Amino acid sequence: MTPLTSEAAVPAEDMGGIGPLVARLSRAGQRLRQADRTNPWVLDTTVVVLVFLMFCMPDLLHTDGGDADGPHRFRVAFIQLSFAGMFVLQAGLVVPLLWRRRKPAVAFGAVAAVFVLQWSLNAALRADIALFIALYSLALHGQLRQLPWACGIMAGAMLLVALRASVAVSVWDALFFLLSTATAALALGLMVRIRRAQLAGLRDRAARLEIERDQRSRLAAAAERARVAREMHDIVGHNLSVIITLADAGVYATAIAPERGREALHIIGDTGRQALGELRRVLGILREAAGGPENGPELSPQPGLTDINALCAGVRAAGLEVVYRTAGAVEALDSGVQLATYRIVQEALTNTLKHAGTGSRVNLAIIVKDTQLTVRVKDTGPPEATSHHPAPANEEGHGLAGMRERTALYDGSLSAGPTGSGWTVEATLNLSPIGGSQ
């Protein structure tokens, strides 16, 4: 997944000399954020030290006579604090910034209290910048419901400062400048907060999309495995049943009628070659072509209704008597419907061959009427049976389950059960609308 960074959006070489600088700054920012997550106290302490050096030290170095460079009316408007008093007030303003991210409301309240105390004493300090930093931190890290009362405290404090400075500057001018500065600090904190929330939302969405993509891939792989398992079961199960039946029949026929035994062997060879070809086709689509499509496996078309005649001929050779008929516009069926029908018939005939044995009669009918396709496979049961046809044991999880899955693809239904001494399988497929092909 592409990281959400500026380098990913614009290549460095396309930005002239700015690209490498942006990349270095981005990497430096990432390293700084990582270090801050590991040791958050380091950044908080650094902020406090910088505020002390930039805004506290100048006042401490001029405690003897005030700021000689300032206008005379500013020097006489405020009292001159002693070194100890100034240091204590500065500490009260700056030290709470250590908790500006972990407890922003507490830090803002402490700084505001010292700020009001200081201006109640009619003292002016450069360290008052700490109140704006605390307001920014509260807008960025605090709870939004705390901002209204913080803004009220800030407005009251700014009004106090404007009144104290009224001897040197207009109250409205001072109030406008101070409230504008406070508004800027508040707006900056909210803007950074919103930006971070947006980036967090984008990262969360990207992570969820990646998870959904992986889930879709796993579901697609599972569906493909199930489809291949159905194909393998249909191919191997049917052809092995025919081969085993022919081999058993050939053993008995060799001693009585050698010609029939040789015929059985020929049919076994043809059936085995057919099964091998279908297996190669199914496994070939799973194998990536090493040299492109021209070197890929040669794929034969999927079996359809025209192949059912050959299927019936194979089971007739194995000893079943099959009567096959069709009704309706079967030749106009979708290729996917034809494949599903072929596999259902193949599985039903395989079950009949395994459980009814040779000598059984099978009536196979494929009927298309309006928007419905019906496949009916009915056998008479084993010749020695009188009233009960044995259920296809252990087939619910394989053969019958596979047939149900195929009918479900076309919003159909499947019923299978004994009828007299035989067994009937009836599948109904909905052709309107036509479902997706296998």
Side-chain angles (χ1 to χ4, degrees):
M1 180 172 295
T2 304
L4 298 174
T5 58
S6 58
E7 301 99 306
V10 181
E13 58 270 16
D14 295 341
M15 299 177 62
I18 302 179
L21 177 61
V22 172
R24 285 194 296 270
L25 291 176
S26 179
R27 288 192 293 269
Q30 292 177 359
R31 287 193 293 268
L32 181 61
R33 287 191 294 270
Q34 180 62 35
D36 183 48
R37 285 192 292 268
T38 305
N39 299 295
W41 282 98
V42 174
L43 180 59
D44 294 334
T45 305
T46 302
V47 171
V48 171
V49 170
L50 289 177
V51 171
F52 178 80
L53 293 176
M54 294 176 62
F55 299 100
C56 296
M57 286 298 295
D59 286 338
L60 292 175
L61 294 176
H62 295 89
T63 54
D64 51 348
D67 189 356
D69 298 330
H72 175 72
R73 54 182 177 176
F74 276 100
R75 293 201 303 269
V76 300
F78 306 109
I79 65 171
Q80 298 298 323
L81 297 172
S82 64
F83 181 88
M86 184 180 297
F87 183 80
V88 170
L89 289 176
Q90 288 178 343
L93 291 170
V94 175
V95 171
L97 296 180
L98 290 172
W99 293 273
R100 67 184 182 88
R101 293 192 295 177
R102 279 170 292 278
K103 296 181 178 180
V106 175
F108 177 81
V111 174
V114 176
F115 183 88
V116 172
L117 174 62
Q118 168 212 321
W119 282 97
S120 298
L121 297 175
N122 200 26
L125 297 174
R126 290 183 174 90
D128 292 337
I129 191 69
L131 184 62
F132 299 98
I133 298 175
L135 180 62
Y136 162 82
S137 300
L138 180 61
L140 177 58
H141 303 288
Q143 299 178 6
L144 294 179
R145 66 172 182 268
Q146 297 171 341
L147 288 180
W149 63 261
C151 292
I153 294 175
M154 194 73 181
M158 295 301 100
L159 179 60
L160 175 62
V161 175
L163 293 175
R164 289 295 189 181
S166 59
V167 296
V169 66
S170 168
V171 173
W172 296 110
D173 291 341
L175 193 61
F176 174 79
F177 173 77
L178 293 172
L179 290 179
S180 298
T181 306
T183 302
L186 179 65
L188 181 62
L190 290 175
M191 182 187 69
V192 175
R193 183 188 189 118
I194 293 171
R195 177 61 176 168
R196 289 184 179 179
Q198 290 175 339
L199 290 177
L202 290 175
R203 285 191 291 267
D204 180 67
R205 183 173 181 271
R208 284 189 284 107
L209 288 176
E210 186 174 1
I211 293 173
E212 291 175 1
R213 181 199 63 190
D214 295 340
Q215 289 176 343
R216 285 194 298 268
S217 299
R218 287 193 293 269
L219 290 175
E224 182 64 15
R225 285 195 298 269
R227 188 190 69 82
V228 172
R230 288 197 306 267
E231 293 289 324
M232 296 289 289
H233 174 269
D234 292 339
I235 295 170
V236 175
H238 169 75
N239 290 288
L240 282 182
S241 296
V242 173
I243 290 173
I244 292 171
T245 303
L246 289 172
D248 291 340
V251 171
Y252 294 105
T254 301
I256 302 174
E259 291 298 328
R260 297 295 301 273
R262 283 194 295 272
E263 182 182 354
L265 290 176
H266 284 302
I267 298 175
I268 288 174
D270 293 339
T271 304
R273 281 187 290 272
Q274 179 185 357
L276 183 60
E278 291 193 27
L279 284 175
R280 284 176 176 171
R281 174 180 54 78
V282 172
L283 296 177
I285 62 177
L286 301 178
R287 192 180 300 116
E288 293 183 356
E294 64 277 4
N295 295 328
E298 296 183 3
L299 305 180
S300 60
Q302 293 274 34
L305 295 185
T306 57
D307 299 292
I308 292 183
N309 287 319
L311 181 66
C312 293
V315 295
R316 287 191 190 104
L320 286 181
E321 182 182 354
V322 181
V323 178
Y324 171 43
R325 70 182 182 90
T326 62
V330 295
E331 66 280 354
L333 293 175
D334 179 76
S335 60
V337 176
Q338 293 195 33
L339 175 61
T341 304
Y342 178 89
R343 293 304 186 197
I344 292 171
V345 172
Q346 185 183 50
E347 181 60 35
L349 293 178
T350 301
N351 287 340
T352 300
L353 189 62
K354 287 192 294 185
H355 300 287
T358 58
S360 177
R361 177 185 174 90
V362 179
N363 291 313
L364 169 60
I366 299 177
I367 303 170
V368 177
K369 185 176 181 181
D370 297 331
T371 60
Q372 194 172 74
L373 169 67
T374 302
V375 180
R376 186 180 299 109
V377 183
K378 181 178 181 181
D379 64 68
T380 58
E384 67 275 13
T386 57
S387 61
H388 179 67
H389 186 287
N394 299 326
E395 286 299 309
E396 181 63 26
H398 301 285
L400 292 179
M403 287 191 283
R404 285 196 174 93
E405 290 175 359
R406 293 184 186 279
T407 56
L409 289 176
Y410 295 91
D411 195 22
S413 60
L414 177 79
S415 62
T419 53
S421 61
W423 189 271
T424 299
V425 174
E426 183 170 330
T428 302
L429 281 67
N430 184 16
L431 305 180
S432 178
I434 297 178
S437 60
Q438 290 282 322

